[in-house]
Amino acid sequence: MQPVYICGVGMNRFGKYPDRTLRDLAGGPIVDALADAGVQARDIQAAFVANSMAGIVTGQEAIRGQTILPAHGISGLPIVNVENACASGSTALHQAVTAVLAGLYDIVLVLGVEKLFHTDRSVSYRALSSATDLAESAAGGGSSVFLEESNRRLAKYMERSGATIAHVAKIAEKSHRNGARNPLAQYREVYTVDEIMASPVVTAPLTRLMCSPIGDGAAVLVICSQAAARRLGRDQVRIAASVLRSATGQSDASMGIAERSVTAAYEMAGIGPGDLNVVELHDTTAASELMLYERLGLCPAGGAPELVDSGATEIGGRVPVNPSGGLISRGHPVGATGVAQICELTWQLRGAVDGRQVDGARTAMAHNAGGTVLGEPAALSIHILTSERRV
Amino acid sequence: MQPVYICGVGMNRFGKYPDRTLRDLAGGPIVDALADAGVQARDIQAAFVANSMAGIVTGQEAIRGQTILPAHGISGLPIVNVENACASGSTALHQAVTAVLAGLYDIVLVLGVEKLFHTDRSVSYRALSSATDLAESAAGGGSSVFLEESNRRLAKYMERSGATIAHVAKIAEKSHRNGARNPLAQYREVYTVDEIMASPVVTAPLTRLMCSPIGDGAAVLVICSQAAARRLGRDQVRIAASVLRSATGQSDASMGIAERSVTAAYEMAGIGPGDLNVVELHDTTAASELMLYERLGLCPAGGAPELVDSGATEIGGRVPVNPSGGLISRGHPVGATGVAQICELTWQLRGAVDGRQVDGARTAMAHNAGGTVLGEPAALSIHILTSERRV
């Protein structure tokens, strides 16, 4: 892939902000990302805006980006509103990368923003369930459609690998411990494995502290061509692979959408899973993270329990996963999540994170998945980033 | 711009289909476009899906493309769901062109599909009003926000140019006459200027027969690289310019979003308005068409009344506009409209349209506008197509 760079990042602390609008939530991260890149709002040549659920939560459809960006000095340029459920943010990034690769623009903005929290909890659940095929699902609402599907996969995986719910809890413990060191995480409490196991059950065997919460937030990237990166002196973080795939419904255990996507991304970047120094992956629950280790090639088939027990995925381990705290601790405002993952990895590759730095990180991967159709994620995106920092 | 081609097109007859789903509506046009291009579903490498209002009309958010395409044999590939109100279709096309320009794919699909008709008329109006900035507009619903804004501009234009409501009616008469020759148009009746003037008033001075109706429909394009076009023997219609812009709120009469977009498109294609042989433009109302003649450079400032009186925009005239019947006769299922315009122009450039062919058409332009923010269209897209037909 031709060189494309991340030259600026910004995000706010994810949380529950019933009194803030999408426009308001986006403002701080936009200002921060522009300042980080060393550009002005007028330098942005195109914008890709990820939001999945405002149609249901706030009523705003159709032109979300155009209702948000002009208030922050960004207008007139091409604005594309993209959706792909929980993978909306990485889909917007994929579109931004594509536009730079096409040679159309030098400097483009990616905004992921979501208000998912609603004082009427049924509105949040209805929004989440819109990420399934409504015509096919008998669901009628509730985020449990995802959890039930996920739990069926978990039961099979446990049987095959010997993993126990304690492994899931241990992953959750890691995420909460990492999140406690992240000032932008929605939840910053540390919990023991026992406390996680004893927290209220959401859908057995998963407890509340093993699951991603409902929240609001925004994250922003400034993406640029090689020429612009050199001009800005911001050529540290390169996007070495950008892959987007959708469900087939014909996947067997060994070649589902995650395996297909990650294989394509490794090939595009010219690396293998052994080259990764840090990973942010889409842990809708800590059980998803357990199963993804194998699917993303971080361990052999059935090797996730051993990977967890070895401490390899903790900060300081061989391949730290979710140093940000992941979805379950950093939070999961749907459209913002995929962008927030890239913010974290950019900070990690720059080597200047306070309190949760993965030492010597040079190669990073983000995995972002969204929606459910045909029994697997409807959309899945993999980005591989490499550091070009002068050492 | 590097060569990008349209190798297949398909659309259904726009209309009111309360018993058909988005998936069902898309099926026929997908089959037709693939057959037209001479490719199979498995040959499609990426898909860009335009839909703006399903979140409100059917409840399906987030992953619309993934709920539609697999039923028609298209799965596993990158699927991007894009929104830009009434400009969603051309935005999806712009994304497809960008992806081919980036060298990522050879053959990609663009689907525009919308169900706007609802037995509860207030649902349709609420969907349409979602294409404004809900936080800013005091509207609360009703498509009249657009009409009122448009009518303020019309009054000013009439005062400046000497145009009368009879000129608007004459444009509507042309569109209905053209639509009557289009078997895919939602309305196929011919009306006299007097009948159009005498039809029920929607928002004075506009009558129902001067306005685009509510309807459902789907349209599909297969877009390909030069290499693929040669392989398929389908290199007749080239995309010479693809431009997308958003509102600034700082436009004066001479440099609004339409003027900025079309100027960029002419420059990209290396042509001027005098080179155009046929135009499809976004006639939300026949009055929009009147005012757009000037904005798109088809006539000098204030010259639209004379252009109408001269018959230049009729089939057989110097620059026929909306030979399909336009939005007011072909219909306006929001997400499908921008794609349908390209279907019509492709057929025109191939020179094989029955009953409404623009003889010798070699250069064509589509103008597609969507939503309202800051007092002008939120999104506006211009595509210029050229025929490379061997003569």
Coordinates of all heavy atoms in Angstrom, one line a residue, chain B residues 156-209:
Chain B
K156 N -36.9 35.9 -5.1 CA -35.7 36.8 -5.4 C -35.3 36.6 -6.8 O -35.0 37.6 -7.5 CB -34.5 36.5 -4.5 CG -34.5 37.1 -3.1 CD -33.2 36.8 -2.4 CE -33.3 37.0 -0.9 NZ -32.1 36.6 -0.2
Y157 N -35.3 35.4 -7.3 CA -34.8 35.1 -8.7 C -35.8 35.7 -9.7 O -35.4 36.3 -10.7 CB -34.7 33.6 -8.9 CG -34.1 33.4 -10.3 CD1 -32.7 33.6 -10.6 CD2 -34.9 33.0 -11.4 CE1 -32.2 33.5 -11.8 CE2 -34.4 32.9 -12.7 CZ -33.0 33.1 -12.9 OH -32.5 33.0 -14.1
M158 N -37.1 35.6 -9.4 CA -38.1 36.2 -10.3 C -38.0 37.7 -10.4 O -38.1 38.2 -11.5 CB -39.5 35.8 -9.8 CG -39.9 34.4 -10.0 SD -41.6 34.0 -9.3 CE -42.1 32.6 -10.3
E159 N -37.8 38.3 -9.3 CA -37.6 39.7 -9.2 C -36.4 40.2 -10.1 O -36.5 41.1 -10.9 CB -37.4 40.2 -7.8 CG -37.6 41.7 -7.6 CD -37.5 42.0 -6.1 OE1 -38.1 41.4 -5.3 OE2 -36.7 43.0 -5.8
R160 N -35.3 39.4 -10.0 CA -34.1 39.8 -10.6 C -34.1 39.5 -12.1 O -33.6 40.2 -13.0 CB -33.0 39.0 -10.0 CG -31.6 39.2 -10.5 CD -30.5 38.8 -9.4 NE -30.4 37.3 -9.3 CZ -29.8 36.5 -10.1 NH1 -29.1 37.0 -11.2 NH2 -29.7 35.2 -9.9
S161 N -34.8 38.3 -12.5 CA -34.7 37.9 -13.9 C -35.9 38.2 -14.7 O -35.9 38.0 -16.0 CB -34.4 36.4 -13.9 OG -35.6 35.7 -13.5
G162 N -37.0 38.5 -14.1 CA -38.3 38.7 -14.8 C -39.0 37.4 -15.1 O -40.0 37.3 -15.8
A163 N -38.5 36.3 -14.5 CA -39.2 35.0 -14.7 C -40.6 35.0 -14.0 O -40.7 35.7 -13.0 CB -38.4 33.8 -14.0
T164 N -41.5 34.3 -14.5 CA -42.8 34.2 -13.9 C -43.2 32.8 -13.6 O -42.4 31.9 -14.0 CB -43.9 34.7 -15.0 OG1 -43.9 33.7 -16.1 CG2 -43.6 36.1 -15.5
I165 N -44.3 32.6 -12.9 CA -44.7 31.2 -12.5 C -45.0 30.4 -13.8 O -44.9 29.2 -13.8 CB -45.8 31.3 -11.5 CG1 -46.1 29.9 -10.9 CG2 -47.1 31.8 -12.1 CD1 -44.9 29.4 -10.0
A166 N -45.3 31.1 -14.9 CA -45.5 30.4 -16.1 C -44.3 29.7 -16.6 O -44.3 28.6 -17.2 CB -46.1 31.3 -17.2
H167 N -43.1 30.3 -16.4 CA -41.9 29.7 -16.8 C -41.7 28.4 -15.9 O -41.2 27.4 -16.5 CB -40.7 30.6 -16.5 CG -40.6 31.7 -17.5 ND1 -40.9 33.0 -17.2 CD2 -40.2 31.7 -18.8 CE1 -40.7 33.8 -18.3 NE2 -40.3 33.0 -19.3
V168 N -42.0 28.5 -14.7 CA -41.9 27.3 -13.8 C -42.8 26.2 -14.4 O -42.4 25.0 -14.5 CB -42.2 27.6 -12.4 CG1 -42.2 26.4 -11.5 CG2 -41.2 28.7 -11.8
A169 N -44.0 26.6 -14.7 CA -45.0 25.6 -15.2 C -44.6 25.0 -16.5 O -44.8 23.8 -16.8 CB -46.4 26.3 -15.4
K170 N -43.9 25.8 -17.3 CA -43.4 25.3 -18.6 C -42.3 24.3 -18.4 O -42.3 23.3 -19.2 CB -42.9 26.5 -19.5 CG -42.8 26.2 -20.9 CD -42.6 27.4 -21.8 CE -42.3 26.9 -23.2 NZ -41.9 28.0 -24.1
I171 N -41.5 24.5 -17.4 CA -40.5 23.5 -17.1 C -41.1 22.2 -16.6 O -40.8 21.1 -17.0 CB -39.5 24.0 -16.0 CG1 -38.6 25.1 -16.7 CG2 -38.7 22.9 -15.4 CD1 -37.7 25.8 -15.6
A172 N -42.1 22.3 -15.8 CA -42.9 21.1 -15.3 C -43.5 20.4 -16.4 O -43.5 19.2 -16.5 CB -43.9 21.6 -14.2
E173 N -44.1 21.2 -17.4 CA -44.7 20.6 -18.5 C -43.7 19.7 -19.3 O -44.0 18.6 -19.7 CB -45.3 21.7 -19.4 CG -46.2 21.2 -20.6 CD -45.3 20.9 -21.8 OE1 -44.2 21.5 -22.0 OE2 -45.8 20.0 -22.6
K174 N -42.5 20.2 -19.5 CA -41.4 19.5 -20.2 C -41.1 18.2 -19.4 O -41.0 17.1 -20.0 CB -40.2 20.4 -20.3 CG -38.9 19.6 -20.6 CD -37.7 20.5 -20.7 CE -37.2 21.0 -19.3 NZ -36.7 19.9 -18.4
S175 N -40.9 18.3 -18.1 CA -40.5 17.1 -17.3 C -41.6 16.1 -17.4 O -41.3 14.9 -17.5 CB -40.3 17.5 -15.9 OG -39.1 18.3 -15.8
H176 N -42.9 16.5 -17.3 CA -43.9 15.5 -17.3 C -44.0 14.9 -18.8 O -44.2 13.6 -18.9 CB -45.3 16.1 -16.9 CG -45.4 16.3 -15.4 ND1 -45.4 15.3 -14.5 CD2 -45.4 17.5 -14.7 CE1 -45.5 15.8 -13.3 NE2 -45.5 17.2 -13.4
R177 N -43.8 15.7 -19.8 CA -43.8 15.2 -21.2 C -42.7 14.2 -21.3 O -42.8 13.1 -21.9 CB -43.7 16.4 -22.1 CG -43.7 16.0 -23.6 CD -44.1 17.2 -24.5 NE -43.7 18.5 -24.0 CZ -42.5 19.0 -24.2 NH1 -41.6 18.4 -25.0 NH2 -42.3 20.2 -23.7
N178 N -41.4 14.5 -20.8 CA -40.3 13.6 -20.9 C -40.6 12.3 -20.1 O -40.4 11.2 -20.6 CB -39.0 14.2 -20.4 CG -38.5 15.3 -21.3 OD1 -39.0 15.5 -22.4 ND2 -37.6 16.1 -20.8
G179 N -41.1 12.5 -18.9 CA -41.4 11.3 -18.0 C -42.4 10.4 -18.7 O -42.3 9.1 -18.5
A180 N -43.3 10.9 -19.4 CA -44.4 10.1 -20.1 C -43.7 9.1 -21.1 O -44.3 8.1 -21.4 CB -45.4 11.0 -20.8
R181 N -42.5 9.5 -21.5 CA -41.8 8.6 -22.5 C -40.8 7.6 -21.8 O -40.1 6.9 -22.4 CB -41.0 9.5 -23.5 CG -41.9 10.4 -24.3 CD -40.9 11.3 -25.1 NE -41.7 12.4 -25.8 CZ -41.1 13.4 -26.4 NH1 -39.7 13.4 -26.5 NH2 -41.8 14.3 -27.0
N182 N -40.8 7.7 -20.4 CA -39.9 6.9 -19.7 C -40.6 5.8 -18.9 O -41.3 6.1 -17.9 CB -39.1 7.8 -18.7 CG -38.1 7.0 -17.9 OD1 -38.0 5.8 -18.0 ND2 -37.3 7.7 -17.0
P183 N -40.5 4.6 -19.4 CA -41.3 3.5 -18.7 C -40.9 3.3 -17.3 O -41.7 2.6 -16.5 CB -40.9 2.2 -19.6 CG -39.8 2.6 -20.4 CD -39.7 4.1 -20.5
L184 N -39.8 3.8 -16.8 CA -39.4 3.7 -15.4 C -39.8 4.9 -14.5 O -39.5 4.9 -13.3 CB -37.9 3.5 -15.3 CG -37.4 2.2 -16.0 CD1 -35.8 2.1 -15.9 CD2 -38.0 1.0 -15.5
A185 N -40.5 5.9 -15.1 CA -40.9 7.0 -14.4 C -42.1 6.7 -13.5 O -43.0 5.9 -13.8 CB -41.3 8.2 -15.3
Q186 N -42.2 7.3 -12.3 CA -43.3 7.1 -11.3 C -44.6 7.6 -11.9 O -45.6 7.0 -11.7 CB -42.9 7.8 -10.0 CG -44.0 7.6 -8.9 CD -43.5 8.0 -7.5 OE1 -42.3 8.3 -7.3 NE2 -44.4 7.9 -6.6
Y187 N -44.5 8.8 -12.6 CA -45.7 9.4 -13.1 C -45.5 9.6 -14.6 O -44.5 10.1 -15.1 CB -46.0 10.8 -12.5 CG -46.4 10.6 -11.0 CD1 -45.5 10.8 -10.0 CD2 -47.7 10.1 -10.7 CE1 -45.9 10.6 -8.7 CE2 -48.1 9.9 -9.4 CZ -47.2 10.1 -8.4 OH -47.5 9.9 -7.1
R188 N -46.5 9.1 -15.4 CA -46.3 9.1 -16.9 C -47.4 9.8 -17.6 O -47.7 9.6 -18.8 CB -46.2 7.7 -17.4 CG -45.0 6.9 -16.7 CD -44.6 5.7 -17.4 NE -44.3 5.9 -18.8 CZ -44.3 5.0 -19.8 NH1 -44.7 3.8 -19.5 NH2 -44.0 5.4 -21.0
E189 N -48.1 10.8 -16.9 CA -49.1 11.6 -17.6 C -48.5 12.9 -18.1 O -47.7 13.5 -17.6 CB -50.2 11.9 -16.6 CG -51.1 10.8 -16.1 CD -50.3 9.9 -15.1 OE1 -49.5 10.5 -14.3 OE2 -50.5 8.7 -15.1
V190 N -49.1 13.3 -19.3 CA -48.8 14.6 -19.9 C -49.7 15.6 -19.4 O -50.9 15.3 -19.3 CB -48.8 14.4 -21.4 CG1 -48.6 15.8 -22.1 CG2 -47.8 13.4 -21.9
Y191 N -49.2 16.8 -19.1 CA -50.1 17.9 -18.6 C -49.8 19.1 -19.4 O -48.7 19.4 -19.8 CB -49.9 18.2 -17.1 CG -50.2 17.0 -16.2 CD1 -49.1 16.2 -15.8 CD2 -51.5 16.7 -15.8 CE1 -49.4 15.1 -14.9 CE2 -51.7 15.6 -14.9 CZ -50.7 14.8 -14.5 OH -50.9 13.8 -13.7
T192 N -50.9 20.0 -19.6 CA -50.6 21.3 -20.2 C -50.2 22.3 -19.1 O -50.3 22.0 -17.9 CB -51.9 21.8 -20.8 OG1 -52.9 22.1 -19.7 CG2 -52.6 20.9 -21.8
V193 N -49.6 23.4 -19.6 CA -49.1 24.4 -18.6 C -50.3 24.9 -17.8 O -50.2 25.0 -16.6 CB -48.5 25.6 -19.4 CG1 -48.4 26.8 -18.5 CG2 -47.2 25.2 -20.0
D194 N -51.5 25.0 -18.4 CA -52.7 25.4 -17.6 C -53.1 24.4 -16.6 O -53.4 24.8 -15.4 CB -53.9 25.6 -18.6 CG -53.7 26.9 -19.4 OD1 -52.9 27.7 -19.1 OD2 -54.4 27.0 -20.4
E195 N -53.0 23.1 -16.9 CA -53.4 22.1 -15.9 C -52.4 22.1 -14.8 O -52.7 21.9 -13.6 CB -53.3 20.7 -16.6 CG -54.6 20.4 -17.5 CD -54.4 19.2 -18.3 OE1 -53.3 18.8 -18.7 OE2 -55.4 18.5 -18.6
I196 N -51.1 22.4 -15.1 CA -50.1 22.4 -14.0 C -50.3 23.6 -13.1 O -50.3 23.4 -11.9 CB -48.7 22.4 -14.7 CG1 -48.4 21.1 -15.3 CG2 -47.6 22.8 -13.7 CD1 -47.2 21.1 -16.3
M197 N -50.6 24.7 -13.7 CA -50.9 25.9 -12.9 C -52.1 25.7 -12.0 O -52.2 26.3 -10.9 CB -51.1 27.1 -13.8 CG -50.0 27.5 -14.8 SD -48.8 28.7 -14.1 CE -49.6 30.2 -14.6
A198 N -53.1 25.0 -12.5 CA -54.4 24.8 -11.9 C -54.4 23.7 -10.8 O -55.4 23.5 -10.1 CB -55.5 24.6 -12.9
S199 N -53.3 22.9 -10.8 CA -53.3 21.8 -9.8 C -53.2 22.3 -8.4 O -52.8 23.5 -8.2 CB -52.2 20.8 -10.2 OG -50.9 21.3 -9.8
P200 N -53.5 21.5 -7.4 CA -53.6 22.0 -6.0 C -52.3 22.7 -5.6 O -51.2 22.2 -5.9 CB -53.9 20.8 -5.2 CG -54.5 19.8 -6.1 CD -53.9 20.1 -7.5
V201 N -52.4 23.8 -4.8 CA -51.2 24.5 -4.4 C -50.6 23.8 -3.2 O -51.3 23.3 -2.3 CB -51.6 26.0 -3.9 CG1 -50.4 26.6 -3.2 CG2 -52.0 26.8 -5.2
V202 N -49.2 23.6 -3.3 CA -48.5 22.9 -2.1 C -48.0 24.0 -1.2 O -48.4 24.0 0.0 CB -47.3 22.1 -2.7 CG1 -46.5 21.5 -1.5 CG2 -47.9 20.9 -3.6
T203 N -47.2 24.9 -1.7 CA -46.7 26.1 -1.0 C -46.7 27.2 -2.0 O -45.8 27.0 -2.9 CB -45.4 25.8 -0.3 OG1 -45.4 24.7 0.5 CG2 -45.0 27.0 0.5
A204 N -47.5 28.1 -1.9 CA -47.6 29.1 -3.0 C -46.3 29.7 -3.3 O -45.5 30.0 -2.4 CB -48.6 30.2 -2.6
P205 N -45.9 29.9 -4.6 CA -46.7 29.7 -5.8 C -46.7 28.4 -6.4 O -47.2 28.2 -7.5 CB -46.1 30.8 -6.7 CG -44.6 30.7 -6.4 CD -44.6 30.4 -4.9
L206 N -46.1 27.4 -5.7 CA -45.9 26.1 -6.4 C -47.1 25.2 -6.2 O -47.7 25.0 -5.1 CB -44.6 25.4 -5.8 CG -43.3 26.1 -5.9 CD1 -42.2 25.3 -5.3 CD2 -43.0 26.5 -7.4
T207 N -47.4 24.5 -7.3 CA -48.5 23.5 -7.3 C -48.0 22.1 -7.3 O -46.8 21.9 -7.5 CB -49.4 23.7 -8.5 OG1 -48.7 23.3 -9.7 CG2 -49.9 25.1 -8.7
R208 N -48.9 21.2 -7.0 CA -48.4 19.8 -6.8 C -47.7 19.3 -8.0 O -46.7 18.6 -7.9 CB -49.6 18.9 -6.5 CG -49.3 17.5 -6.2 CD -50.5 16.6 -6.1 NE -51.3 16.9 -4.9 CZ -52.5 16.5 -4.8 NH1 -53.1 15.8 -5.7 NH2 -53.2 16.9 -3.7
L209 N -48.1 19.6 -9.2 CA -47.5 19.1 -10.5 C -46.1 19.8 -10.8 O -45.5 19.5 -11.7 CB -48.4 19.2 -11.7 CG -49.6 18.3 -11.6 CD1 -50.6 18.6 -12.7 CD2 -49.2 16.9 -11.7

